[in-house]
Amino acid sequence: MSEVQHKIETRAAAPADVPVILGLIRELAEYERLADQCIATPQLLLENLFGAKPVAEARIGLLDGTPVGFALYFHNFSTFLARPGIYLEDIYVQPHARGKGVGKALFKDIARIAVERNCGRMEWSVLDWNEPSIQFYKNMGAMPMSEWTVYRLTGAALKEIGSRD
């Protein structure tokens, strides 16, 4: 019995992909048990990915011509390396398409972009309970940065601190 061969492709996202990206973001939020925090809208994605001053970029993963995943990333900067880096904010592949190479293709795509742009590193965060993703990243050669703790300032606390004199 032969295994089915699938066509795996990745490409840069375009404004017409916003509904697909938003749908995938919502699926990711459900998967990560964070749907209550997902307030993304088509307008916000259009503005921040494709507007006058884009702050992030996205790639679309296709399986047999159908969008089934995405990766969203942006540049950061390492003061120690004095070079830009890429922060992989999210990578997501729909459950039915997992294990077929779409996630690996998206991940390799972002790594290729980092190399082309002379980035010193590529970083991301993963939820500590997400064993399938942790294993995927380890299989890609990634190492956890266990000595670092991520902190976050959002919502009312961010507004309060940001408006202080």
Side-chain angles (χ1 to χ4, degrees):
M1 203 169 170
S2 65
E3 191 173 311
V4 175
Q5 292 294 321
H6 293 282
K7 183 177 180 186
I8 308 296
E9 298 172 277
T10 63
R11 62 171 173 76
D17 293 312
V18 164
V20 169
I21 295 168
L22 183 56
L24 292 167
I25 288 170
R26 288 180 176 151
E27 287 181 34
L28 172 62
E30 286 288 334
Y31 174 75
E32 291 185 341
R33 306 174 197 150
L34 299 169
D36 60 316
Q37 297 178 36
C38 184
I39 60 168
T41 66
Q43 295 78 17
L44 286 170
L45 288 173
L46 273 171
E47 177 184 335
N48 290 302
L49 295 178
F50 307 104
K53 291 186 177 183
V55 295
E57 299 173 69
R59 305 280 303 171
I60 302 293
L62 301 105
L63 180 65
D64 299 324
T66 301
V68 295
F70 81 108
L72 194 139
Y73 60 99
F74 55 89
H75 282 280
N76 55 18
F77 189 81
S78 167
T79 52
F80 289 1
L81 300 177
R83 290 170 59 192
I86 283 185
Y87 189 85
L88 178 58
E89 178 66 23
D90 286 314
I91 185 168
Y92 176 76
V93 175
Q94 292 177 317
H96 74 276
R98 292 180 189 157
K100 295 179 171 63
V102 178
K104 185 175 184 179
L106 283 166
F107 191 84
K108 289 175 73 174
D109 231 13
I110 305 306
R112 176 188 51 77
I113 290 166
V115 169
E116 286 174 359
R117 295 180 184 179
N118 197 31
C119 293
R121 62 184 173 207
M122 180 172 137
E123 297 177 310
W124 61 94
S125 298
V126 61
L127 292 164
D128 60 6
W129 57 261
N130 192 346
E131 245 345 283
S133 293
I134 291 168
Q135 196 55 54
F136 171 80
Y137 296 133
K138 285 182 177 179
N139 288 343
M140 293 284 118
M143 301 296 295
M145 302 292 294
S146 56
E147 66 274 15
W148 292 89
T149 300
V150 175
Y151 283 85
R152 181 173 289 164
L153 190 60
T154 63
L158 175 61
K159 287 179 184 172
E160 181 185 335
I161 296 296
S163 63
R164 286 186 186 167
D165 291 338

